[in-house]
Amino acid sequence: MTNKELADLIFPDIDKDIKYYENKYQPRDLPEGAKVTRFAPSPTGYMHLGGFFQAIIDYVLAKNSNGLFYLRIEDTDTKREVKEAVDLIFESLNHYGIKPDEFEYNGEVTGNYGPYFQSERKEIYHTFIKYLIEIGRAYPCFCTKEELDELRKHQEERKFRTGYYGRYAKCRILPIEKQIEKIKNGEDYVIRFKSEGNFDLKFKTEDQVKGTLELSQNDEDFVIMKSSDKLPTYHFAHIVDDYLMKTTHVVRGEEWLSSLPKHLELFRAFGFKAPKYVHTPLLVKKDGNSIRKISKRKDPEASMSYYKDKGYPTEALIESLMTIINSNYEEWHTQNPDKKFYEFQYSPKKMSSAGGAFFDLDKLDNISRNVISKMTKDEVYDNLYKWADEYNKEFASIISKDVDYTKSILNIEREQKKPRKDYVYYSDIENQIWYMFPELFDKHEKVYEWGTINDINEIKNIVSTYFDKYYDNKDDKETWFNEVKELCDELGYASDMKAYKENPEDFKGSVADVSTVIRVAITTKSMTPDLYEILKLLSKEEIEKRINLIK
Ligand code: GLU
């Protein structure tokens, strides 16, 4: 009996061969040097920041080289409903403007190298596995879970390397007749790769980030097809896919580095050229005095939804990840503020990899403050509205009642050389401008943050004198300020800070204290943007209403 008979018995319906697929998926028509990258997430229903980090690298590599970036859904492992999980992947990429050139979504396919869902590629995988069986490089294994547990225990007790290799790979020496007989008897089996490697021998390979690596050869007869659903394992599926979809660069987490020898041996068994590998460092954070991996279980910021929910501008998250990707990004970005992030020439070699890639939320907040401060009032309004429409409907309806009014508020100390940087994310804005909207002011709990002047009679005195005698909504800024000074002179406060500093005992306080009283009376807050602008924007009636609350 022959391998061919065994292969036919296992895959009776497979009538195509590798050549068929090689013909079907011709080399891509791309310019010299173009890189083909892919984002290949498993639809787990959770989008990790680390995955997005890799997707950005994929995207930048493709864009840098006039190449192509595609999305492949690795759903060979999920028993759960994948539809929602796939929606999440698409929405996450889409939110950041990262559009794959090829993908499959809601039944629509863009690109000629699909299917782009692994679960739809079963026939392809079976063809390739069938071939390996025919050439004697794969075989059925009938070991039960108990037998494998027993083997592991045996190896652990003796402190041997664990795994299905060498003399432990029992089924590899089963005669074909026996294999066929067992299959015909309906015994359960997986398909394993038949390794020709020797663990004691090393080989050299290049990683785009880590440089030259010296690794032990693989000698494990690892599983390439599972028994239950006859779907391939990750190790096998991605080899076939990356080959047929013409991937030139595989960007993935460094947790895959240890299985690289397996993957390279598979490529060799087929006689295919392996793609280049870009193994990215884990994202790490400071936790007290130690540095640890950002974890799904412990850190809300591990999830991509964290950033969207809070309303970080997409540019801010991208910028903070780009600075981790290559530390010279920041400088480049400052010099080329109008260029798109993907025009930056990414160099995998310059990516720091030892000890992980440090992701810092404080740094993101800083970047985000800057990004929002540089937006025009129209941009910040549009982004805020879009966020609020999804996450805070009531606020969305309030800010959109009089769009020009809201834009004027957002424009206080904006669109100027040194704009104010008080907003970190969109969800933070209501908290800082609620007092500018009468309906929010009315229902907000009011905690007046009085400063040095906190005697209520004196406060009333300042407020009434100012508003009865001086306040005029039409004043320009200079007049306004002069009037506040006059008010100070009238009430015994220093209108000149210098004079006050020289002889504080001559005054009840200074113009700064008096301004604070007016500011707090109107907004309840001791820290606000420019008071003149606030007084100018609020209507006369609204101001009166607020004054009466104090009087
Ligand atoms: N599906 C694998 C994962 O989610 C992809 C790894 C790869 O990009 O090859 O980790």
Side-chain angles (χ1 to χ4, degrees):
M1 282 189 176
T2 61
N3 287 329
K4 174 92 179 65
E5 286 169 73
L6 175 64
D8 283 338
L9 177 65
I10 295 178
F11 297 111
D13 301 328
I14 295 297
D15 52 5
K16 300 192 174 75
D17 59 11
I18 291 185
K19 276 270 156 311
Y20 168 85
Y21 290 106
E22 285 174 335
N23 273 330
K24 179 168 177 191
Y25 304 108
Q26 290 291 320
R28 288 174 180 277
D29 187 16
L30 289 170
E32 175 88 20
K35 294 180 173 118
V36 178
T37 60
R38 85 295 195 278
F39 180 43
S42 303
T44 57
Y46 180 90
M47 180 88 171
H48 196 288
L49 178 67
F52 184 68
F53 178 62
Q54 286 150 18
I56 290 192
I57 297 178
D58 282 315
Y59 190 66
V60 171
L61 278 175
K63 289 277 174 193
N64 275 187
S65 62
N66 290 318
L68 183 142
F69 164 63
Y70 70 89
L71 179 67
R72 183 172 75 222
I73 305 294
E74 304 213 322
D75 57 345
T76 58
D77 226 8
T78 26
K79 280 149 207 83
R80 277 162 286 158
E81 183 52 61
V82 291
K83 165 87 179 76
E84 273 165 35
V86 171
D87 286 347
L88 179 72
I89 293 166
F90 266 90
E91 278 160 19
S92 308
L93 292 180
N94 194 25
H95 181 63
Y96 291 89
I98 309 235
K99 188 165 168 12
D101 299 295
E102 294 180 1
F103 60 91
E104 189 175 325
Y105 192 44
N106 282 341
E108 217 178 287
V109 187
T110 308
N112 298 323
Y113 290 79
Y116 295 90
F117 277 71
Q118 286 189 330
S119 59
E120 292 167 24
R121 300 172 64 82
K122 207 167 176 174
E123 193 185 348
I124 302 179
Y125 303 128
H126 286 180
T127 305
F128 280 66
I129 294 173
K130 189 170 186 184
Y131 168 78
L132 283 187
I133 296 174
E134 282 169 10
I135 64 165
R137 291 301 305 272
Y139 62 90
C141 164
F142 304 89
C143 288
T144 60
K145 186 175 174 303
E146 291 68 36
E147 283 172 295
L148 294 173
D149 287 347
E150 191 52 42
L151 168 63
R152 169 175 283 271
K153 217 171 109 210
H154 173 91
Q155 290 167 328
E156 277 170 355
E157 276 168 8
R158 287 162 184 74
K159 303 220 165 10
F160 293 158
R161 186 161 52 87
T162 57
Y164 203 84
Y165 60 89
R167 63 196 167 95
Y168 302 113
K170 267 193 348 203
C171 291
R172 117 185 227 146
I173 46 168
L174 270 187
I176 294 189
E177 290 71 27
K178 232 351 267 145
Q179 294 175 345
I180 290 180
E181 186 190 313
K182 279 172 171 287
I183 291 173
K184 285 191 170 156
N185 281 342
E187 278 188 45
D188 241 8
Y189 61 92
V190 297
I191 304 288
R192 287 182 183 273
F193 177 59
K194 190 185 267 179
S195 170
E196 289 178 352
N198 178 344
F199 187 78
D200 295 326
L201 296 181
K202 303 251 183 206
F203 70 101
K204 284 197 174 141
T205 185
E206 273 302 303
D207 179 75
Q208 300 298 298
V209 177
K210 306 193 180 282
T212 307
L213 298 170
E214 210 176 71
L215 304 172
S216 281
Q217 288 183 4
N218 171 64
D219 66 350
E220 276 185 60
D221 286 0
F222 52 93
V223 176
I224 57 176
M225 189 183 91
K226 297 173 278 172
S227 74
S228 48
D229 49 14
K230 306 270 182 266
L231 277 168
T233 55
Y234 166 75
H235 295 317
F236 186 80
H238 92 279
I239 298 289
V240 173
D241 295 342
D242 285 329
Y243 173 65
L244 292 178
M245 295 169 149
K246 321 291 174 195
T247 311
T248 64
H249 288 68
V250 169
V251 178
R252 62 181 182 186
E254 67 182 11
E255 66 273 18
W256 293 112
L257 205 53
S258 58
S259 34
L260 184 59
K262 290 189 177 65
H263 305 155
L264 294 177
E265 196 189 355
L266 261 179
F267 275 111
R268 255 198 323 279
F270 280 113
F272 302 154
K273 185 168 173 270
K276 294 197 159 73
Y277 282 92
V278 181
H279 283 102
T280 62
L282 285 173
L283 292 181
V284 294
K285 69 179 277 184
K286 252 208 204 102
D287 185 1
N289 286 330
S290 63
I291 293 197
R292 63 163 176 82
K293 182 179 146 197
I294 294 187
S295 104
K296 172 174 171 178
R297 204 166 43 80
K298 293 191 198 147
D299 308 306
E301 75 267 27
S303 166
M304 284 307 287
S305 60
Y306 177 84
Y307 307 94
K308 186 165 175 265
D309 295 354
K310 281 205 152 186
Y312 279 98
T314 53
E315 303 90 308
L317 184 66
I318 289 187
E319 190 175 326
S320 76
L321 292 175
M322 286 301 290
T323 58
I324 301 179
I325 288 171
N326 271 175
S327 61
N328 55 330
Y329 177 78
E330 229 165 333
E331 197 187 328
W332 175 87
H333 183 58
T334 317
Q335 285 162 4
N336 302 280
D338 299 326
K339 290 203 173 148
K340 302 260 183 278
F341 74 92
Y342 51 77
E343 291 176 67
F344 170 77
Q345 289 294 315
Y346 160 63
S347 157
K349 287 234 151 49
K350 283 200 207 126
M351 186 152 168
S352 72
S353 86
F358 191 60
F359 179 78
D360 183 11
L361 275 181
D362 290 340
K363 173 133 196 231
L364 171 65
D365 285 356
N366 266 328
I367 291 176
S368 194
R369 270 179 205 282
N370 268 318
V371 167
I372 297 184
S373 78
K374 285 191 193 126
M375 289 176 186
T376 63
K377 64 173 185 306
D378 294 341
E379 286 167 338
V380 75
Y381 175 81
D382 290 348
N383 290 329
L384 172 64
Y385 181 79
K386 211 163 135 203
W387 175 85
D389 192 38
E390 188 170 347
Y391 293 96
N392 186 347
K393 286 256 187 266
E394 190 199 349
F395 190 52
S397 115
I398 291 174
I399 61 174
S400 57
K401 254 180 223 151
D402 182 348
V403 174
D404 286 339
Y405 177 70
T406 307
K407 285 187 180 172
S408 305
I409 297 168
L410 295 170
N411 205 32
I412 299 179
E413 296 178 69
R414 175 178 302 279
E415 298 189 8
Q416 60 188 35
K417 199 148 174 257
K418 283 209 165 135
R420 221 182 141 86
K421 299 185 179 175
D422 34 13
Y423 309 138
V424 181
Y425 26 72
Y426 304 126
S427 61
D428 190 32
I429 295 184
E430 178 179 358
N431 220 354
Q432 300 196 43
I433 62 171
W434 56 271
Y435 55 76
M436 294 305 289
F437 298 94
E439 57 263 72
L440 289 177
F441 185 85
D442 288 345
K443 57 177 203 201
H444 211 279
E445 190 202 343
K446 294 171 208 45
V447 182
Y448 287 90
E449 298 171 354
W450 304 117
T452 28
I453 305 175
N454 51 24
D455 174 67
I456 193 65
N457 291 320
E458 183 59 6
I459 289 169
K460 284 181 184 168
N461 182 27
I462 294 174
V463 168
S464 349
T465 318
Y466 174 67
F467 286 99
D468 296 345
K469 201 162 159 188
Y470 293 100
Y471 163 75
D472 180 352
N473 190 266
K474 301 201 176 46
D475 283 345
D476 62 23
K477 190 155 187 183
E478 211 188 318
T479 317
W480 171 78
F481 197 55
N482 285 334
E483 284 171 358
V484 175
K485 284 183 173 173
E486 268 179 53
L487 170 74
C488 291
D489 295 338
E490 179 179 339
L491 299 180
Y493 291 87
S495 57
D496 175 28
M497 284 309 279
K498 205 167 147 247
Y500 179 64
K501 280 199 184 115
E502 278 162 14
N503 298 86
E505 62 289 347
D506 291 354
F507 304 96
K508 288 205 268 177
S510 75
V511 62
D513 303 323
V514 170
S515 308
T516 297
V517 167
I518 302 174
R519 184 189 308 273
V520 177
I522 297 302
T523 67
T524 76
K525 299 260 163 223
S526 58
M527 304 266 271
T528 72
D530 193 88
L531 177 58
Y532 167 76
E533 301 281 349
I534 291 174
L535 290 172
K536 190 127 188 101
L537 280 171
L538 287 170
S539 71
K540 209 163 171 215
E541 301 73 63
E542 181 62 22
I543 290 193
E544 265 162 21
K545 190 183 82 193
R546 296 185 187 186
I547 299 308
N548 287 331
L549 290 177
I550 313 281
K551 271 189 187 167

